[in-house]
Amino acid sequence: MEERLAIGLIRTSHGVKGNLRVKSFSGETSHFSRLKKVYIKKGDRYIPYRVESVGGSHSSLLVKLANIDTREEALRLRGEVLWVDRSDASPLKQWEYYYADLSCCNVYHQGKEIGRVNTVIGGGVSDILEVVTLQGKIIMVPFDEHFIAEIDMVEKRIYLNEDFVIP
């Protein structure tokens, strides 16, 4: 499992004192107010930043990081992703999973492995699992109880209900 999880995208700066306008990936924002530290990934390295404050509203989250004190410094971070230690991520509810945990799960139908989750695409009604089959084809599986029978995070396996999504 990934030790760090992506939680938001820095959209732009806000004001002249280095505040960042951030979009939460999960849609949840309450956990941001408890953050003491976040990371920005540069290549293979995670650069830590101390969180000074979090404000704004659900739709317009404002984050102030230590040593980012001007509009220009904040603008240089536009487009970067904020990462946190797994323990600081938004708590999961029933039938919720971190995208990072679903990626690379093997996918099964009727006891046979059919492929592996390549990525998860955030969708409107439901998220979509992009699965690469053993034959190298890509199939899209709605992440919904109608299509997903079981998820075993210990074994990193996802079992499908329906076979009509399989080519």
Side-chain angles (χ1 to χ4, degrees):
M1 276 195 218
E2 293 276 335
E3 67 180 79
R4 295 200 175 99
L5 298 169
I7 62 164
L9 175 70
I10 299 172
R11 292 245 196 231
T12 190
S13 67
H14 177 80
V16 296
K17 296 185 179 184
N19 286 300
L20 304 168
R21 190 174 302 276
V22 175
K23 177 184 186 278
S24 170
F25 286 151
S26 68
E28 301 286 330
T29 58
S30 61
H31 66 289
F32 276 82
S33 63
R34 296 186 300 272
L35 294 175
K36 304 278 187 248
K37 177 173 53 172
V38 295
Y39 301 88
I40 293 177
K41 191 174 182 181
K42 296 290 185 184
D44 293 341
R45 295 182 28 237
Y46 289 92
I47 300 166
Y49 288 87
R50 186 173 52 81
V51 176
E52 290 184 349
S53 66
V54 176
S57 66
H58 179 75
S59 61
S60 184
L61 197 58
L62 299 177
V63 177
K64 175 67 176 81
L65 301 179
N67 301 319
I68 305 296
D69 298 316
T70 68
R71 180 177 189 275
E72 292 72 27
E73 290 171 327
L75 281 172
R76 281 195 285 274
L77 297 176
R78 182 177 25 199
E80 297 288 350
V81 172
L82 292 180
W83 296 77
V84 296
D85 293 321
R86 180 176 283 274
S87 60
D88 293 329
S90 179
L92 296 173
K93 298 175 186 145
Q94 185 177 356
W95 240 83
E96 287 186 338
Y97 301 89
Y98 297 122
Y99 284 0
D101 293 342
L102 293 172
S103 293
C104 297
C105 279
N106 293 324
V107 179
Y108 292 79
H109 183 259
Q110 296 180 342
K112 296 173 101 174
E113 183 178 353
I114 63 162
R116 180 177 218 136
V117 177
N118 184 47
T119 192
V120 182
I121 302 165
V125 174
S126 71
D127 294 332
I128 305 290
L129 302 178
E130 181 186 271
V131 177
V132 178
T133 68
L134 297 176
Q135 295 77 29
K137 294 180 181 179
I138 294 177
I139 60 171
M140 301 297 194
V141 178
F143 190 69
D144 160 310
E145 291 177 358
H146 182 75
F147 297 95
I148 308 293
E150 180 186 349
I151 297 173
D152 181 342
M153 291 311 301
V154 174
E155 296 292 325
K156 300 286 285 173
R157 292 180 174 195
I158 298 173
Y159 298 92
L160 299 182
N161 273 333
E162 297 288 340
D163 61 359
F164 65 84
V165 296
I166 303 166

